[in-house]
Amino acid sequence: MEKIEKIAETYRQLQTEICSTLENADGKGKFSCNPWKKEIGGGTTAVLQNGAIIEKGAVNFSFVKGKFSSRMEKLLDEKAENYAATGISSILHPENPWMPIIHMNVRYFALDNGISWFGGGIDLTPHIIEPEDASSFHRALKETCDRFDSHFYPGFKQWADDYYFLPHRNETRGVGGIFFDRLKFSNSEEFEKLFGFTVSLSQLYPAIYTEFMKKYANHPYSQREKRWQALRRGRYVEFNLIHDRGTKFGLESGGNTESILASLPANAAWEYNCTPEPDGFEEKTLKLLKKGVDWIQFKPNTK
Amino acid sequence: MEKIEKIAETYRQLQTEICSTLENADGKGKFSCNPWKKEIGGGTTAVLQNGAIIEKGAVNFSFVKGKFSSRMEKLLDEKAENYAATGISSILHPENPWMPIIHMNVRYFALDNGISWFGGGIDLTPHIIEPEDASSFHRALKETCDRFDSHFYPGFKQWADDYYFLPHRNETRGVGGIFFDRLKFSNSEEFEKLFGFTVSLSQLYPAIYTEFMKKYANHPYSQREKRWQALRRGRYVEFNLIHDRGTKFGLESGGNTESILASLPANAAWEYNCTPEPDGFEEKTLKLLKKGVDWIQFKPNTK
């Protein structure tokens, strides 16, 4: 398990880089860094609240070790005595409803039975879908994936469609992105490739969001868009509390609740049987929350 | 399983009575009744939004039948081919932050292996705890329980403390109430007693809330209380989406999503590491969100 010390050190540095890039782009908000220690390990939760552009953003780093409980054995279908895990997890909720929510996670998980793997993903959740943003987002992901393995993007894109999905709403969370889990390795070359991939994603993440921050910082909006944003944030809360594996694993393994739930938006709304008017941005967005959209080739069929 | 038809008919009528009592007390809001039918059965979701006192309230009736899946077998630790279930489930979110959220559920669950049972509960979630309200609430529950069985209140009160609890926050959801599940019967006398108990609770529920509506309709409040209400609603959302068995069972069994999630408040808020000032109503409330408080005998030890 000594590999994990090196990985944790790199992830810790990447957390600092991500925060500093985002602070620069925001211009006003500052991340407050909150180190925490519990029985299972520790981490640092960096949280930015009420920035100029980012309303609530969290960049968490954690490095934990513990007993591999029977509950985890069931969850992960592996047998072991102890586990160790390290990762970065981040979500950014913008003030401007035209700007998307973004999420990134990279993680390394090691069992004392010799099995270990990388997992992670980046996905984009626009409150209002602008197809050209989804396209440029997916192109950026594909470009980074392709530098490591040409099979990564197509496989991980589909995995994201399946994972970032709310079955009870029959909606994807947003326009997807990439998701991967249990990427195992059998030699040091494979290890370096996967580790390097997670490092590149951690660098790509703030770069992608900085572009959105430039584009939408001063985009005008009305109460209608803010109301819609609160309702879409409600869906985000549903996904995170009902489905998100990291949230589930974190809360069940005795992780730091405030860090785990720092992913929740500053506010959210629910309205019974909310049905948007035909042809508004709300209905157009709902129609695009589907699995299997080829965003890179996307041509809107409405004018 | 023919018993269930009679129970469902009674529950359906009780739903109408609950709605009409609450509408009268609100004076402005009206319940919109939305019947729904899916493969597994149907029901009526009655929702009141933007009343004078109730900001968002739902009274659901449902009667469903279906295959008893392997997932349900695991969840309930029973073996059967088919199940049928009927129940009323209600949550009321008031506009005024001084007024508590209330929840009630009664249900009858029958398996085709001959096993069936009643379950349910009523619990109160004040945004700001007023101990005398918690006392009168628990006294009313005890009185109704005692008319059926003197063991009901003490057992079901403790069950509620354990059930309406957020382990990740180490907080009870509110001041508890009663909770019971899998109350089985072996003859018609026992059946009538349990059925009668659920009917009495369904009648007690709007009566209790009407008293709160009278007391708090015009209670003055400021932005500070509204802000706190939104944060406490966030906790309510966490409980319902992470822990609530009815929500879980409903969503997993293919129930009506809009009906199930009508329990969520109109809005909710989250703030990282929110720590209230000492001695305010916020901190006093947090200190009382504990299991095992004897609300009936409660004497506040602060002046």
Side-chain angles (χ1 to χ4, degrees):
Chain A
M1 285 218 228
E2 76 258 29
K3 266 200 192 84
I4 199 168
E5 307 284 344
K6 173 191 155 192
I7 298 169
E9 196 37 48
T10 304
Y11 285 174
R12 195 192 303 273
Q13 282 167 23
L14 284 165
Q15 179 196 30
T16 309
E17 284 171 33
I18 293 168
C19 290
S20 114
T21 307
L22 293 171
E23 275 184 2
N24 284 340
D26 189 82
K28 174 191 163 203
K30 296 281 167 211
F31 279 94
S32 73
C33 279
N34 307 275
W36 59 271
K37 249 192 162 54
K38 289 189 72 165
E39 210 180 311
I40 62 161
T44 307
T45 307
V47 175
L48 186 158
Q49 293 188 106
N50 304 313
I53 305 173
I54 297 171
E55 185 179 30
K56 190 175 172 200
V59 186
N60 292 323
F61 161 79
S62 67
F63 184 12
V64 297
K65 293 171 186 196
K67 275 241 148 307
F68 197 61
S69 66
S70 59
R71 172 89 190 129
M72 291 181 199
E73 284 188 353
K74 235 183 196 169
L75 219 62
L76 295 171
D77 198 22
E78 298 275 0
K79 284 254 172 231
E81 288 283 307
N82 297 291
Y83 76 94
T86 185
I88 314 171
S89 178
S90 175
I91 287 189
L92 306 170
H93 290 280
E95 162 63 29
N96 196 307
W98 286 94
M99 197 153 131
I101 306 164
I102 197 165
H103 161 252
M104 190 272 300
N105 169 239
V106 292
R107 59 187 178 274
Y108 178 74
F109 198 93
L111 294 170
D112 60 0
N113 63 6
I115 290 174
S116 54
W117 63 76
F118 286 94
I122 303 187
D123 79 302
L124 196 73
T125 307
H127 310 96
I128 300 162
I129 296 181
E130 293 280 18
E132 66 273 22
D133 289 344
S135 290
S136 66
F137 172 70
H138 275 272
R139 276 195 300 271
L141 291 179
K142 182 172 186 304
E143 199 181 286
T144 296
C145 286
D146 286 352
R147 281 195 282 125
F148 292 87
D149 194 318
S150 65
H151 296 100
F152 278 3
Y153 178 76
F156 299 169
K157 192 271 183 198
Q158 197 179 321
W159 208 338
D161 277 358
D162 289 334
Y163 179 71
Y164 299 112
F165 183 73
L166 289 85
H168 63 286
R169 297 291 190 183
N170 195 27
E171 277 175 12
T172 51
R173 169 156 100 167
V175 298
I178 57 170
F179 180 87
F180 54 96
D181 203 3
R182 311 269 201 126
L183 297 193
K184 296 176 183 175
F185 44 88
S186 48
N187 56 48
S188 70
E189 199 186 335
E190 280 176 29
F191 168 81
E192 290 300 338
K193 171 175 150 179
L194 294 175
F195 181 34
F197 178 55
T198 63
V199 170
S200 290
L201 290 179
S202 307
Q203 290 163 336
L204 178 65
Y205 171 71
I208 285 176
Y209 208 62
T210 301
E211 290 305 309
F212 286 122
M213 290 169 84
K214 281 185 203 151
K215 181 170 177 183
Y216 288 112
N218 300 307
H219 198 285
Y221 61 83
S222 70
Q223 271 314 101
R224 177 173 166 186
E225 285 95 339
K226 278 307 272 183
R227 173 75 189 147
W228 182 246
Q229 179 182 43
L231 291 166
R232 298 314 303 169
R233 284 176 172 181
R235 294 289 212 273
Y236 211 86
V237 170
E238 288 176 23
F239 183 86
N240 280 19
L241 298 184
I242 301 176
H243 294 292
D244 189 67
R245 285 185 214 166
T247 303
K248 216 173 253 186
F249 182 84
L251 294 179
E252 284 186 4
S253 63
N256 187 295
T257 298
E258 283 293 334
S259 306
I260 297 162
L261 298 185
S263 62
L264 299 178
N267 71 311
W270 285 269
E271 189 182 316
Y272 177 70
N273 260 354
C274 169
T275 318
E277 282 164 49
D279 287 330
F281 63 80
E282 302 92 339
E283 199 199 39
K284 282 181 186 158
T285 292
L286 291 180
K287 282 187 176 162
L288 290 170
L289 294 173
K290 301 282 169 237
K291 292 183 185 187
V293 178
D294 180 354
W295 285 110
I296 289 181
Q297 301 295 331
F298 186 80
K299 303 254 185 307
N301 56 13
T302 52
K303 276 149 214 169
Chain B
M1 286 217 227
E2 78 259 28
K3 267 200 191 82
I4 198 167
E5 307 285 344
K6 171 191 156 191
I7 299 169
E9 196 37 49
T10 304
Y11 284 175
R12 195 192 302 272
Q13 283 166 23
L14 284 164
Q15 179 195 31
T16 310
E17 285 171 31
I18 293 168
C19 290
S20 114
T21 306
L22 292 172
E23 275 183 3
N24 284 340
D26 190 81
K28 176 191 162 201
K30 295 281 167 214
F31 279 94
S32 73
C33 279
N34 307 274
W36 59 271
K37 249 193 161 55
K38 289 190 71 165
E39 208 180 313
I40 62 163
T44 307
T45 307
V47 176
L48 185 157
Q49 292 189 106
N50 305 313
I53 305 174
I54 298 171
E55 186 180 28
K56 190 176 171 197
V59 186
N60 292 323
F61 161 78
S62 67
F63 184 12
V64 297
K65 293 171 185 197
K67 273 243 148 305
F68 198 59
S69 68
S70 60
R71 172 88 189 130
M72 290 182 200
E73 284 187 353
K74 236 182 194 169
L75 218 64
L76 295 172
D77 198 23
E78 298 275 1
K79 285 253 172 233
E81 289 283 309
N82 297 291
Y83 75 94
T86 185
I88 314 171
S89 179
S90 174
I91 288 189
L92 305 171
H93 290 281
E95 163 62 29
N96 195 308
W98 286 94
M99 197 154 130
I101 306 164
I102 198 165
H103 160 253
M104 190 274 297
N105 169 239
V106 292
R107 58 187 178 274
Y108 178 73
F109 198 92
L111 294 170
D112 61 1
N113 64 6
I115 290 173
S116 53
W117 63 75
F118 286 94
I122 303 187
D123 79 302
L124 196 73
T125 306
H127 310 96
I128 300 163
I129 296 181
E130 292 282 17
E132 66 273 22
D133 289 344
S135 290
S136 65
F137 172 70
H138 275 273
R139 275 196 301 272
L141 291 179
K142 182 172 185 304
E143 200 182 284
T144 296
C145 286
D146 285 353
R147 279 196 281 125
F148 291 88
D149 192 318
S150 65
H151 296 100
F152 277 3
Y153 178 76
F156 299 169
K157 192 272 183 199
Q158 198 180 319
W159 208 339
D161 277 359
D162 289 334
Y163 179 71
Y164 299 112
F165 184 73
L166 289 85
H168 65 285
R169 298 291 190 183
N170 195 29
E171 277 174 13
T172 51
R173 169 157 99 167
V175 298
I178 56 170
F179 180 87
F180 54 96
D181 203 3
R182 311 267 202 129
L183 296 193
K184 296 176 184 174
F185 44 88
S186 48
N187 55 48
S188 70
E189 199 185 336
E190 279 176 29
F191 167 82
E192 290 299 339
K193 172 175 149 180
L194 294 176
F195 181 33
F197 179 53
T198 63
V199 170
S200 288
L201 291 180
S202 307
Q203 290 163 334
L204 177 65
Y205 172 71
I208 285 177
Y209 208 62
T210 300
E211 290 304 310
F212 286 123
M213 290 169 84
K214 281 186 203 152
K215 181 169 176 182
Y216 288 112
N218 299 306
H219 197 285
Y221 61 83
S222 69
Q223 271 314 100
R224 177 173 166 184
E225 285 94 340
K226 277 310 270 183
R227 173 76 189 146
W228 182 246
Q229 180 183 43
L231 291 166
R232 297 314 302 170
R233 285 176 172 181
R235 293 288 211 274
Y236 211 86
V237 170
E238 289 177 23
F239 183 87
N240 280 20
L241 298 184
I242 300 176
H243 294 293
D244 189 67
R245 285 185 215 164
T247 304
K248 215 173 256 186
F249 182 84
L251 294 179
E252 285 186 4
S253 62
N256 186 294
T257 298
E258 283 293 333
S259 304
I260 297 163
L261 298 185
S263 63
L264 299 178
N267 72 312
W270 284 270
E271 189 181 317
Y272 176 70
N273 259 354
C274 168
T275 318
E277 283 165 49
D279 287 329
F281 63 79
E282 302 91 340
E283 199 199 39
K284 282 181 186 158
T285 291
L286 291 181
K287 281 185 175 162
L288 290 171
L289 295 173
K290 301 283 168 234
K291 292 182 185 188
V293 178
D294 180 354
W295 285 111
I296 289 181
Q297 300 294 330
F298 187 79
K299 302 252 186 310
N301 55 14
T302 53
K303 276 150 214 168

